[in-house]
Amino acid sequence: MKRAVLDVLASPGDRSTLAIGENQSDNGDLQDGVLDAADGRTFAIRDGVPRMAPELESADEQSDTRTTFGSKWQTITDEQRDRLAVFQHRWFEERFGFADEDDLARTLDGAGWVIDAGTGPGIQAARLARVTSAQVVGMDLSESVVRARQTFGPERDNLHYVQGDILDPPFRRESFDFVVADQVLHHTPDCRRAFHRMAELVAPGGQFATYVYRIKPLLRELADEEVRKLTTRLTVDECMEFSEQVTELGRELSRLGAKVTLEQGIPLLGLEPGEHDVQRLIYWTFFKCFWNEELGEGCQQPGEFRLVSPTVCVSPHTRRGARVGCRDANLEVVHLDVIESGISVRARRPDG
């Protein structure tokens, strides 16, 4: 743990201040130790990561999230992670209204602190630390932050990884100039609360970028619901096997290159008139069988795993809901992007 992170780190709940425990050096990179909170609680530092997440019971929904998502990221290889990073970085720029990486860097110019909440393998936090001189925190509920720190931490003095809970973030309010919670809030037990907890971290003049699943066409929603009734009874390994099977279906449908043209469409089921790629038509309208040739083998399953893993329910949203959430959190919408899969919103907290 780098000493600088104590400038924003706080005890979850009451947000009281933290200090490095007695008889421990407060200089350099602390691998193992203890953080003492003003309220009397203590938090461990292990493998260089402050452990600020709550102790969860095995039946707790957040416990499932920690286990399953941690397992998901343990399966990805370095090569697959790098390929995923290229895809995710470009997609991030497209969805949140940045022309390119230089445009993102200009937006972050002058920022003091940045956070990527739900960082998973840590690739977005590492990228943000590369394009800005700000201090950047990657936070995740799972053990994925340990591998992320080992992979990216040594490269950047301005990069920190923390194990923490989006529903009870261990940071001071209004302490970040740019808050990212991308593709993660809808996997918490209470998406609305998660949104507001993240919004509380945004400093005056700062921005909040988040993406949540969009409500899909009728048959796709019904299929997702029924499939999850089955998969939530499976083990993590069984879910991963199912994800691989579904990915194979998506791949083979995609490689057919088949298209159909609908003169009328079926608006009631979300099918518009015009030409449709068969794989994308099935994927968006009937059943989640994802495939993207750019990602290649091995990078597809995490997307399927998000839907079917034995974790918390997936919470889809609407365009109006995103705007209302921003308004209620005293945030002004800067950019709103709605695509088949979800809703991306970048919003700003007014100065003063």
Side-chain angles (χ1 to χ4, degrees):
M1 185 196 82
K2 301 180 180 77
R3 174 72 171 76
V5 76
L6 286 178
D7 290 347
V8 292
L9 206 61
S11 180
D14 67 356
R15 312 291 177 94
S16 60
T17 58
L18 295 166
I20 294 174
E22 294 183 5
N23 302 319
Q24 298 172 97
S25 171
D26 63 357
N27 297 314
D29 198 349
L30 186 61
Q31 292 295 311
D32 296 284
V34 171
L35 291 173
D36 294 329
D39 62 5
R41 289 186 292 171
T42 60
F43 300 91
I45 304 168
R46 295 196 306 274
D47 303 312
V49 175
R51 305 306 180 110
M52 311 301 295
E55 294 298 325
L56 302 174
E57 299 295 332
S58 59
D60 191 293
E61 289 179 320
Q62 288 286 77
S63 177
D64 286 341
T65 301
R66 177 187 291 179
T67 300
T68 56
F69 278 72
S71 299
K72 177 183 74 171
W73 295 123
Q74 290 298 325
T75 65
I76 195 170
T77 67
D78 291 347
E79 180 182 358
Q80 291 165 351
R81 182 202 62 223
D82 293 343
R83 184 191 291 265
L84 182 63
V86 172
F87 175 83
Q88 288 285 359
H89 293 344
R90 187 181 68 250
W91 198 42
F92 183 93
E93 293 159 9
E94 292 173 355
R95 290 182 292 114
F96 290 114
F98 299 107
D100 50 29
E101 187 170 275
D102 289 341
D103 189 24
L104 171 62
R106 285 190 293 270
T107 299
L108 296 177
D109 186 36
W113 282 90
V114 173
I115 185 171
D116 179 35
T119 195
I123 57 178
Q124 193 62 258
R127 188 249 196 134
L128 292 169
R130 175 172 56 79
V131 303
T132 177
S133 60
Q135 298 292 320
V136 177
V137 177
M139 183 188 76
D140 204 272
L141 184 64
S142 77
E143 288 285 323
S144 64
V145 287
V146 176
R147 182 178 174 185
R149 182 186 179 277
Q150 293 169 346
T151 303
F152 301 112
E155 300 176 2
R156 299 281 167 184
D157 291 337
N158 64 331
L159 180 58
H160 314 265
Y161 286 99
V162 173
Q163 187 177 33
D165 187 356
I166 282 174
L167 291 174
D168 195 4
F171 301 102
R172 299 177 186 177
R173 292 182 177 86
E174 299 188 353
S175 54
F176 290 92
D177 301 295
F178 194 62
V179 174
V180 177
D182 188 18
Q183 308 172 66
V184 63
L185 300 184
H186 46 233
H187 288 299
T188 63
D190 188 339
C191 187
R192 184 177 183 278
R193 178 185 167 196
F195 180 94
H196 284 275
R197 289 294 176 269
M198 288 293 99
E200 288 174 353
L201 301 182
V202 182
Q207 296 191 26
F208 179 28
T210 188
Y211 167 99
V212 290
Y213 284 148
R214 180 186 178 189
I215 295 176
K216 307 298 190 299
L218 175 62
L219 295 182
R220 168 65 192 275
E221 285 290 333
L222 291 173
D224 286 354
E225 182 179 350
E226 292 303 312
V227 168
R228 282 187 54 78
K229 287 179 182 178
L230 300 174
T231 59
T232 50
R233 303 171 189 169
L234 304 179
T235 65
V236 171
D237 288 342
E238 289 170 336
C239 276
M240 188 58 72
E241 182 180 8
F242 176 76
S243 298
E244 292 171 357
Q245 295 164 353
V246 172
T247 297
E248 180 186 27
L249 173 62
R251 182 192 68 207
E252 295 307 305
L253 285 170
S254 180
R255 291 179 177 175
L256 282 175
K259 299 182 184 299
V260 295
T261 300
L262 303 176
E263 292 186 4
Q264 300 182 61
I266 313 175
L268 183 64
L269 301 182
L271 272 169
E272 299 297 327
E275 185 179 77
H276 298 267
D277 176 89
V278 168
Q279 185 268 330
R280 303 309 283 176
L281 182 147
I282 293 173
Y283 170 55
W284 289 127
T285 313
F286 298 103
F287 177 65
K288 191 177 191 295
C289 50
F290 179 75
W291 177 258
N292 184 300
E293 198 71 35
E294 179 184 353
L295 290 174
E297 300 286 350
C299 291
Q300 318 286 334
Q301 285 81 25
E304 295 294 344
F305 191 80
R306 287 181 184 143
L307 177 66
V308 305
S309 61
T311 181
V312 298
C313 62
V314 176
S315 173
H317 297 270
T318 64
R319 180 196 302 257
R320 181 179 182 277
R323 288 190 178 277
V324 169
C326 289
R327 183 200 65 197
D328 291 348
N330 190 30
L331 297 172
E332 301 171 346
V333 174
V334 173
H335 180 84
L336 182 67
D337 180 77
V338 181
I339 57 178
E340 292 96 333
S341 60
I343 301 166
S344 303
V345 60
R346 179 158 58 97
R348 180 181 180 274
R349 185 175 301 287
D351 292 299

